[in-house]
Amino acid sequence: MKPAPFIRHVPKTLDEAVRILGAVAAEEGRVLAGGQSLVPIMAFRLAKPAHLVDINEIAELGRMSNDGKMLRIGALVRHAAFHKPVVDNPLGHLLAAVARAIAHYPIRLRGTFCGSLAHADPSAEWCLVAATLDATLVAHSTRGARTIAARDFFQGIMTTALAEDELLAEVRLPLLAPDTRFGFNKFSRRAGDFAMSAALAVYRLQDGKMTDVHLGVGGAEPSPRRIPEAEAVLAGQAPGDTVFRAAAEAAAQAVEAMEDHQTSADYRRDLVRAVVRRALEQSA
Amino acid sequence: MSTQSKGMSWVGRSIRRLEDPALVTGRGYFTGDLAAAHWVRFVRSPVAAGRIVKIGAPESAMVITAANLASVKPIAPLLHKFNYKPVAQPILADGVVRFVGEPVAAVVAASEQEAEDIADAVVLTIDETAAIVDGRAALAADAPQVHATVPGNVIVEGAHKTDGFDAAWARAHRIVTVEARSHRQNATPMEPRGGHAAYDAASGRITLTCATQMPHLMRTAIADLIGMAESDLRVIAPDVGGGFGQKMSLAAEYVLLVWLARQYKSSFAWREDRRENLIAGFHARDQYLTLAGAFDADAKLIALKADIIANVGAYSCFPTTAGIEPLMAMAELPGPYDFRHYECRARGVVTNTCTIAPYRGVSRPVNAFGLERLMDKAAAAFGLDVVEIRRRNLVDRFPYTTAYGLELDEASYRQTLDVVAKAIDLPAFRARQSEARAQGRHLGIGFATFCERTGYGTATFVERGMAITPGWETVVVSVDQSGLVEARIGASPHGQGLRTTLAQIVADELGISPDMIKVVHGDTDRAPYGWGTFASRSLVISGGATLIAARKVRTKLLKLASHILEAAPHDIVLEDGTAKVIGTDRSVPIATLAHEAHTQSHLYDGIEPGLTDEGFYDPPGTFSNACHVAIVEVDIETGQVKIEKFLVAEDAGRIINPMIADGQVHGGVAQGIGNALLEEIIYDDTGTILTASLADYLPPTARDVPEIDMHHLTTPSPNSVTEAKGLGEGGTIGAPAAVINAINDALVAFGVTIDEIPATPQRIRAALRNLSSPSPLWGAEKGGV
């Protein structure tokens, strides 16, 4: 349970971090933020980075801001920062509801929002949020900065669109309209465990009808994503048990459920059905 | 701590644990705290079965393999009965590997990090051979053979059939069957195993500090395997962070550490990490239990037929052997039930999996699971409620000889059942259950009534045919000239609170407060030879020996006091640290008596010098008992089970410290809940272990364990000088059965049966899905799934 030897770099600025990452990327260089996923993986020697670019002393990455349209979350913003709404907008409440489901308190004090996205565990709560809300991710490298849409970012289990020399410096989430309703539901064996399935339902309620429906499912497929089949069931309808069940069924049928030794695709679909309906019930 | 007020007993009081201040302030002393000149990392087999072709080590690295250990004997415990086939476990794999995680080589380096780096660079070339993982599959005629010496993979086989069984069976009004499957677990002590062996240049002795429950037996065994004088080895069990049986078995790793320290005259340490512990730190519970019960027309069990298949893993654990699980299962299966006819076949089967060793409860959690399912199924078949079926079948006269031949001493089987049944108000629950069902919520209740054989002495181990019979205990009680008392014990507590409970026993005998009494254990140089702490034995046996030793010291104190105070011994009481003549103001401090005993004994007729005496105890054993009740809610859409309520009525005879007794029950129930719902070591078909971290192997957290409603009954045991019975394992024995019965009760309307533990949400959903109409959700509204 001791990691393989590595060199730790401690840059003070984003530019310096990117420069170092560019230099060490080819030699298994990795970015260290909260370390809540990377460090255990290193302890098991499943990852053996030769260099760690520790960004914890880069003050500019700890910032969170909103310009009235977007919430910008810097690479060092920890999960615990979202325990209380960070913005007086449905988005703040949504993030607070999700944050409490992430692992356990000590982990939330260290782990970061952006780190969770860069790690891209299929079951990660923030990945589900980013996918459902069509987040924009900002990657920096010595070649400059580029933005990546969430739907392009997640490319499979722990696989993202980030190049090996790119640092995920910021995530931008759109603020939500005041008439937005949301619901989140997660299933795990124990409180605080990785989700075996999770759903996030977000829509506007206009004239008693659901519009601008975003229905995301995580933990069921290699990457979280919006489920258009379920969104189509809901769009333009009034919230209610029948339509929620139909959307849940549509989501369960739509997912290409991951299987493992314990968990069959059928079971995973059972869970998708349950978490989608429960997320929708919570939203209503 | 205040001194004892007149006439008040220390026994029976919930005094705070004397061991806790150090532990809760980070001042405990654990094996892993010791510095060492050299650190050891084991290279472990990545495959379940194969022949070692080559061990490729980096140049200049110090890598020990079986080739270096020609002079060290393999671990090969013996059992003289039950058709036991001895197997030998080399300290490091010798040409053949038999499970994933088996130590193949040991890397030695200056630091743990360096050792792990080197170990990472060791390349094992192994010709993989076919592995067999499942205990039942290992019985097939064409199954791969794990050991050439164990044809058919059956390492031990017990059989029992009462005279007249067939005739009784033929009288059956109804046969009820259960096929129970208990998957594999790991005891997961908070502190994994670890050892530190250091050479002392002055004496030439080795001191092995290790996380063990049996320091003396480790000394005996390791000295024997290495071929050294036992007196040249000192074994210390410092603070040990839980054992649960896993730390009573001899770790091959410890043998290697002692060998290294002796060979290279230096210090060598190994700290097991969690991954190693999960894959190689001994496993437990992997059994198939098939039961058929013959009931008469009054729902009275008249005969029980059982087939037990215990997967014992790759080797035979020392000292209890691979016989421990199947043979204890066979002997104790009849439990607290009154029936005269019993037929049982119990096989221990070797497989290419981690060796099975005792774990809190040993076979009885599976026994209770099977038998309590049988009772619930019989209740349903006869249209009786689950309390009534038990009431009709529990033993109610004592002593009672079971259908296997064990003698049950005085207990309270029916009373504990009645206490919880009353506390839970079964009719009220049934009403609530049907209301909930109407709303699509599925509640269930489960009872488990069981007995727990505890504090058994040498005779039991002889009956099992064990070459090593760890039954008795010795305790030496000394009063020093400052009036402080030391009780040196052969038991080796590692969380049970014996430093407190034994002090309470001594305190009452010698009339001093418990904080004046130091219980010394876990050091073979300081403690008398003993067997350590396991099998719910220590309070009964070591506590009994403590009482006997303390009484001898008390007798001497009274005799000495009678000389000094010029009064008859029976007119003298020992209290508040003094000997007093009843009804007078004449007294003498115990410290003075101790001083006199050490320095002035020549003045007193019949008083030998010193104030030390020894107690020895080897009891026949005593059965404690309990009834557990669980109320659960099953989420039929996800298969998730939530435990809403848990009740325990426990009878462990005379309770020395109620708080500690409750703690034992709480911890046991928590582990039992893990057993029932969460914890499972999983191998794939090739023998690769899939649960090698605590992200995959799921012990219950505080949020998974409800508050436990405890009720105590007290049936003192005539088989225990302290009148106390053991209760270390009861929690784990009853909880799985209660939880699984509750799950089945919740699902009764669906006609599904869950007879597999852990009852994971996947398993529960799979059972429900097999019944489902196209969409479970729509079905649920109509009362289906």
Side-chain angles (χ1 to χ4, degrees), chain A residues 1-5 43-45 48 104 187-194 196 241-242 245-246 248-249 261-264 266-267 270-271 273-274 277-278, chain B residues 41 112-113 116-117 120 273-275 635 637-638 640 677-678 682-684 690 692-694 698-699 701 703-704 760-762 765 769 775-778 781:
Chain A
M1 292 278 181
K2 306 285 182 223
F44 279 107
R45 296 193 175 217
K48 298 179 190 175
H104 302 278
F187 180 85
S188 57
R189 293 284 301 277
R190 300 173 304 182
D193 282 351
F194 289 105
M196 293 173 70
D241 189 55
T242 306
R245 286 174 187 274
E249 190 59 42
H261 200 268
Q262 281 183 279
T263 305
S264 65
D266 280 345
Y267 181 64
D270 287 347
L271 293 182
R273 191 179 289 115
R277 203 199 74 233
R278 290 169 190 192
Chain B
R41 177 80 185 175
E112 261 181 316
Q113 287 87 336
E116 194 165 340
D117 290 345
D120 216 18
D273 66 32
R274 185 59 65 185
R275 181 173 175 275
D635 176 345
E637 292 174 7
T638 64
Q640 188 81 306
L677 297 176
L678 290 160
I682 303 173
Y683 286 97
D684 70 12
L690 304 176
S693 83
L694 291 178
L698 309 177
T701 69
R703 292 171 70 168
D704 303 299
T760 61
Q762 290 94 328
R765 265 307 302 164
R769 195 183 310 107
S775 167
L777 291 178
W778 309 126
E781 282 188 328

Side-chain angles (χ1 to χ4, degrees), chain B residues 381-530:
Chain B
F382 283 95
L384 293 174
D385 83 41
V386 292
V387 172
E388 178 58 22
I389 188 88
R390 288 173 172 80
R391 209 172 266 143
R392 288 190 192 183
N393 282 288
L394 287 168
V395 169
D396 67 345
R397 54 197 184 280
F398 304 96
Y400 176 91
T401 303
T402 71
Y404 186 75
L406 302 186
E407 191 185 291
L408 304 180
D409 55 338
E410 197 73 30
S412 56
Y413 304 138
R414 293 192 185 196
Q415 294 88 328
T416 48
L417 174 67
D418 289 342
V419 163
V420 285
K422 189 165 173 239
I424 204 78
D425 192 350
L426 190 57
F429 171 78
R430 290 295 180 206
R432 188 158 72 87
Q433 183 181 34
S434 41
E435 274 170 39
R437 233 168 232 161
Q439 298 158 7
R441 291 176 54 220
H442 301 274
L443 306 179
I445 193 166
F447 284 73
T449 311
F450 63 93
C451 57
E452 176 190 2
R453 189 187 200 184
T454 72
Y456 41 93
T458 306
T460 300
F461 298 96
V462 172
E463 193 274 330
R464 286 185 198 156
M466 280 172 63
I468 295 164
T469 53
W472 48 266
E473 280 300 331
T474 300
V475 170
V476 178
V477 171
S478 305
V479 187
D480 68 24
Q481 294 178 61
S482 62
L484 261 86
V485 178
E486 203 173 73
R488 291 183 282 126
I489 68 172
S492 194
H494 45 279
Q496 293 83 355
L498 278 190
R499 286 185 216 166
T500 307
T501 47
L502 299 191
Q504 287 177 267
I505 290 171
V506 174
D508 279 353
E509 293 305 311
L510 302 189
I512 56 176
S513 70
D515 59 354
M516 300 280 282
I517 299 152
K518 304 288 175 222
V519 175
V520 175
H521 60 83
D523 180 347
T524 57
D525 275 9
R526 292 271 284 131
Y529 201 98

Side-chain angles (χ1 to χ4, degrees), chain B residues 62-298:
Chain B
M62 180 172 172
V63 178
I64 308 295
T65 67
N68 302 100
L69 303 176
S71 66
V72 182
K73 288 194 277 186
I75 299 170
L78 287 179
L79 199 60
H80 298 310
K81 281 185 176 176
F82 302 109
N83 204 17
Y84 179 75
K85 310 276 195 304
V87 296
Q89 176 192 355
I91 304 307
L92 293 170
D94 192 1
V96 178
V97 290
R98 293 190 175 88
F99 71 95
V100 167
E102 181 168 3
V104 173
V107 170
V108 180
S111 70
E112 261 181 316
Q113 287 87 336
E114 215 181 309
E116 194 165 340
D117 290 345
I118 297 167
D120 216 18
V122 171
V123 180
L124 299 181
T125 311
I126 298 175
D127 259 356
E128 224 176 315
T129 54
I132 183 77
V133 175
D134 179 74
R136 192 178 263 173
L139 294 171
D142 59 348
Q145 302 291 288
V146 179
H147 293 273
T149 54
V150 185
N153 293 322
V154 177
I155 187 172
V156 61
E157 177 161 3
H160 182 80
K161 190 173 183 179
T162 48
D163 289 338
F165 178 89
D166 294 334
W169 191 260
R171 289 202 315 272
H173 172 74
R174 200 189 283 274
I175 306 287
V176 179
T177 61
V178 173
E179 289 222 15
R181 169 73 170 122
S182 166
H183 289 277
R184 181 175 282 240
Q185 290 188 276
N186 178 298
T188 48
M190 203 181 288
E191 177 205 26
R193 300 174 305 162
H196 176 284
Y199 175 78
D200 175 51
S203 64
R205 298 176 80 213
I206 308 289
T207 298
L208 171 68
T209 305
C210 61
T212 181
Q213 300 173 227
M214 293 185 128
H216 281 94
L217 195 56
M218 292 301 116
R219 183 183 79 185
T220 304
I222 294 170
D224 174 54
L225 296 179
I226 290 180
M228 63 188 284
E230 199 176 333
S231 55
D232 281 345
L233 180 59
R234 174 185 188 183
V235 176
I236 294 175
D239 285 321
V240 173
F244 311 113
Q246 188 181 85
K247 290 175 180 167
M248 70 181 279
S249 293
L250 173 61
E253 290 87 345
Y254 298 167
V255 182
L256 186 88
L257 293 173
V258 174
W259 180 85
L260 282 167
R262 200 160 171 262
Q263 188 76 13
Y264 297 98
K265 301 188 172 13
S266 185
S267 56
F268 294 81
W270 164 66
R271 292 196 288 196
E272 183 178 60
D273 66 32
R274 185 59 65 185
R275 181 173 175 275
E276 288 181 290
N277 183 265
L278 282 170
I279 68 173
F282 297 113
H283 289 167
R285 299 278 193 272
D286 189 345
Q287 287 185 25
Y288 292 93
L289 174 60
T290 306
L291 295 180
F295 289 82
D296 70 13
D298 297 324

Side-chain angles (χ1 to χ4, degrees), chain B residues 717-748:
Chain B
S717 173
N719 290 354
S720 167
V721 287
T722 58
E723 300 185 328
K725 303 176 177 185
L727 82 167
E729 298 168 272
T732 58
I733 295 171
V739 171
I740 198 83
N741 270 341
I743 292 170
N744 279 285
D745 183 51
L747 299 179
V748 74

Side-chain angles (χ1 to χ4, degrees), chain A residues 174-198:
Chain A
L175 296 185
L176 302 170
D179 55 7
T180 299
R181 304 293 177 92
F182 68 88
F184 170 74
N185 191 267
K186 165 184 170 178
F187 180 85
S188 57
R189 293 284 301 277
R190 300 173 304 182
D193 282 351
F194 289 105
M196 293 173 70
S197 274

Side-chain angles (χ1 to χ4, degrees), chain B residues 314-620:
Chain B
Y315 295 105
S316 188
C317 59
F318 177 98
T320 50
T321 82
I324 180 90
E325 284 283 344
L327 300 178
M328 197 192 282
M330 176 171 72
E332 300 192 24
L333 183 60
Y337 291 106
D338 174 21
F339 60 94
R340 299 314 316 149
H341 293 285
Y342 178 40
E343 181 182 23
C344 181
R345 182 188 196 192
R347 284 170 287 180
V349 182
V350 287
T351 59
N352 294 109
T353 59
C354 177
T355 304
I356 296 280
Y359 167 38
R360 196 176 197 176
V362 187
S363 73
R364 290 158 303 179
V366 189
N367 280 357
F369 161 37
L371 207 48
E372 294 304 293
R373 289 292 303 129
L374 187 80
M375 285 297 155
D376 271 20
K377 285 185 169 179
F382 283 95
L384 293 174
D385 83 41
V386 292
V387 172
E388 178 58 22
I389 188 88
R390 288 173 172 80
R391 209 172 266 143
R392 288 190 192 183
N393 282 288
L394 287 168
V395 169
D396 67 345
R397 54 197 184 280
F398 304 96
Y400 176 91
T401 303
T402 71
Y404 186 75
L406 302 186
E407 191 185 291
L408 304 180
D409 55 338
E410 197 73 30
S412 56
Y413 304 138
R414 293 192 185 196
Q415 294 88 328
T416 48
L417 174 67
D418 289 342
V419 163
V420 285
K422 189 165 173 239
I424 204 78
D425 192 350
L426 190 57
F429 171 78
R430 290 295 180 206
R432 188 158 72 87
Q433 183 181 34
S434 41
E435 274 170 39
R437 233 168 232 161
Q439 298 158 7
R441 291 176 54 220
H442 301 274
L443 306 179
I445 193 166
F447 284 73
T449 311
F450 63 93
C451 57
E452 176 190 2
R453 189 187 200 184
T454 72
Y456 41 93
T458 306
T460 300
F461 298 96
V462 172
E463 193 274 330
R464 286 185 198 156
M466 280 172 63
I468 295 164
T469 53
W472 48 266
E473 280 300 331
T474 300
V475 170
V476 178
V477 171
S478 305
V479 187
D480 68 24
Q481 294 178 61
S482 62
L484 261 86
V485 178
E486 203 173 73
R488 291 183 282 126
I489 68 172
S492 194
H494 45 279
Q496 293 83 355
L498 278 190
R499 286 185 216 166
T500 307
T501 47
L502 299 191
Q504 287 177 267
I505 290 171
V506 174
D508 279 353
E509 293 305 311
L510 302 189
I512 56 176
S513 70
D515 59 354
M516 300 280 282
I517 299 152
K518 304 288 175 222
V519 175
V520 175
H521 60 83
D523 180 347
T524 57
D525 275 9
R526 292 271 284 131
Y529 201 98
W531 301 107
T533 289
F534 58 95
S536 302
R537 69 191 297 273
S538 289
L539 192 61
V540 178
I541 308 181
S542 197
T546 298
L547 181 67
I548 291 164
R551 279 184 179 159
K552 289 182 182 172
V553 171
R554 171 190 172 81
T555 301
K556 184 163 180 180
L557 280 170
L558 290 173
K559 210 164 150 188
L560 197 53
S562 96
H563 280 289
I564 292 171
L565 298 170
E566 296 175 336
H570 63 257
D571 287 333
I572 298 171
V573 290
L574 300 178
E575 61 185 30
D576 299 336
T578 60
K580 295 177 189 165
V581 181
I582 299 165
T584 73
D585 58 0
R586 277 183 297 147
S587 71
V588 56
I590 286 169
T592 304
L593 293 174
H595 183 72
E596 291 290 299
H598 283 87
T599 65
Q600 307 295 325
S601 65
H602 56 276
L603 299 177
Y604 308 107
D605 258 4
I607 299 287
E608 288 183 351
L611 198 46
T612 293
D613 225 318
E614 184 173 283
F616 170 85
Y617 196 43
D618 190 6

